[in-house]
Amino acid sequence: MTTQKTRRAAPPQTTGVAEQHEALPDGMRTAVDDFARHLAAERNRSEHTVRAYVGDVVSLLDHASRAGATAPGELTLAVLRGWLARRRAAGAARASLARHAAAARTFTAWAHREGLLATDPGQRLASPKAHRDLPTVLRADQAETLVTAPAGRDDAVGLRDRLVLELLYATGIRVSELCGLDVGDVDRMRRVVRVIGKGDKERAVPYGLPAEQALTEWLRSGRPALAGPASGAALLLGARGGRLQPTAARRLVDGHARATGLPHTSPHDLRHSAATHLLEGGADLRSVQELLGHASLASTQIYTHVSIERLRSAYEQAHPRA
């Protein structure tokens, strides 16, 4: 089984948030710290999510304290709405406002359960729906050009890059999930990778023959050349032998994209492309949802809109009465 690492609450990182945190009344500051521990230890939220939510809650409590509040129990719906209005006036985008509201609702629900709030004002806090742009999707020929870009290199890094690109496109997994793979997470008999996704939820994702060939070459010639004391069980390694980091994976994807004449491309763009191409090839929405590890079908449905837009574009270009 994959070893689960205990996550610790991430303290506020930016200077502004740290200063606001320190300036809060004692009861508010203690509540923020307890909330951060709750997110990390009990809800298993990622370090990034904990940091973002803590930053939002610190901002909310700073706003409340400036209005005269000294404890979380003094939060009201009017205070929550006033804070969101202030963020909107400062130029926050709809997506950011939606996240701020979600953080506030999560905090007030937790504070109510903990007895810090007599009622939960966040239940009545509405937020603008985030506008969702259609994701960037490569054409099938562009995706093939990208994933085969390192094919002519037989050095360790070239073999590693080829496997990274093949697996990202073959499986549609997130870059963090890719970098978290251990050698033992790959079932080569069934051509399936065992992925630990958001919320530590496990799923099995199949991959095809090209990815299997890339995996064979990497394990035979590439990984042994890079492996060192820091490698552990990691499937993918960086140039110094440690586990490949998501930032490095993002750089290599974009680097190969640019080298082949493609626009800026991220690992998430390959995930979007894999999902769209699966649907266009006849896969049903539920299967794609399971492969991607989406908790909600609504997250997967955006790819049906992508397919419709591509179909509309082809229609307008080709039909004489479009």
Side-chain angles (χ1 to χ4, degrees):
M1 292 181 62
T2 300
T3 301
Q4 301 298 329
K5 297 178 181 177
T6 303
R7 294 194 183 110
R8 298 185 179 180
Q13 297 295 309
T14 64
T15 302
V17 172
E19 290 175 349
Q20 287 181 335
H21 176 267
E22 289 304 311
L24 290 174
D26 289 345
M28 288 184 169
R29 190 167 60 249
T30 299
V32 171
D33 295 342
D34 290 345
F35 177 62
R37 282 189 285 272
H38 161 74
L39 289 177
E42 296 178 34
R43 297 193 61 175
N44 243 337
R45 294 299 181 91
S46 70
E47 199 171 296
H48 173 77
T49 299
V50 174
R51 188 181 302 113
Y53 271 39
V54 166
D56 286 341
V57 172
V58 167
S59 173
L60 167 62
L61 295 180
D62 175 70
H63 171 79
S65 67
R66 290 174 187 272
T70 59
E74 297 172 54
L75 286 177
T76 64
L77 182 59
V79 170
L80 299 181
R81 285 173 172 168
W83 172 65
L84 278 184
R86 188 173 159 193
R87 304 292 287 188
R88 185 184 300 112
R94 285 202 303 174
S96 296
L97 290 171
R99 194 204 73 197
H100 297 330
R105 283 192 294 267
T106 303
F107 176 73
T108 58
W110 169 83
H112 178 52
R113 289 194 303 271
E114 293 294 310
L116 301 178
L117 275 167
T119 60
D120 179 6
Q123 285 186 333
R124 293 184 290 153
L125 180 65
S127 62
K129 290 186 177 179
H131 174 68
R132 296 191 71 178
D133 293 324
L134 293 179
T136 300
V137 173
L138 299 175
R139 299 191 310 270
D141 63 302
Q142 291 176 320
E144 182 177 4
T145 297
L146 175 56
V147 299
T148 58
R153 292 181 54 182
D154 56 3
D155 61 304
V157 171
L159 296 176
R160 189 273 318 276
D161 288 4
R162 181 186 169 201
L163 179 58
V164 166
L165 293 165
E166 287 282 8
L167 280 179
L168 284 171
Y169 181 55
T171 62
I173 60 178
R174 302 174 180 94
V175 66
S176 58
E177 296 169 343
L178 175 84
C179 293
L181 291 175
D182 289 339
V183 174
D185 292 329
V186 184
D187 182 343
R188 301 187 64 187
M189 291 292 292
R190 296 188 300 155
R191 291 209 304 271
V192 166
V193 291
R194 188 168 64 104
V195 179
I196 305 299
K198 290 184 176 181
D200 283 342
K201 293 181 179 178
E202 181 180 315
R203 68 187 191 279
V205 184
Y207 62 87
L209 279 173
E212 172 62 21
Q213 292 165 358
L215 179 64
T216 297
E217 293 178 14
W218 162 248
L219 292 177
R220 182 178 59 214
S221 305
R223 191 180 186 280
L226 292 180
S231 301
L235 174 65
L236 295 161
L237 305 177
R240 297 183 179 180
R243 183 181 294 273
L244 181 69
Q245 297 301 305
T247 50
R250 292 187 185 97
R251 282 197 302 270
L252 77 85
V253 170
D254 189 44
H256 285 294
R258 293 181 186 277
T260 54
L262 295 173
H264 169 71
T265 304
S266 70
H268 223 66
D269 293 334
L270 279 175
R271 176 173 164 86
H272 294 322
S273 302
T276 303
H277 297 163
L278 280 167
L279 287 171
E280 291 178 341
D284 66 273
L285 201 59
R286 288 286 182 187
S287 296
V288 176
Q289 177 193 3
E290 187 173 344
L291 287 171
L292 296 179
H294 283 160
S296 168
L297 191 62
S299 299
T300 317
Q301 284 176 327
I302 191 170
Y303 298 113
T304 64
H305 300 307
V306 175
S307 297
I308 290 169
E309 286 301 313
R310 287 157 69 97
L311 181 61
R312 186 188 306 279
S313 176
Y315 175 85
E316 290 175 348
Q317 290 179 25
H319 199 286
R321 296 182 68 82

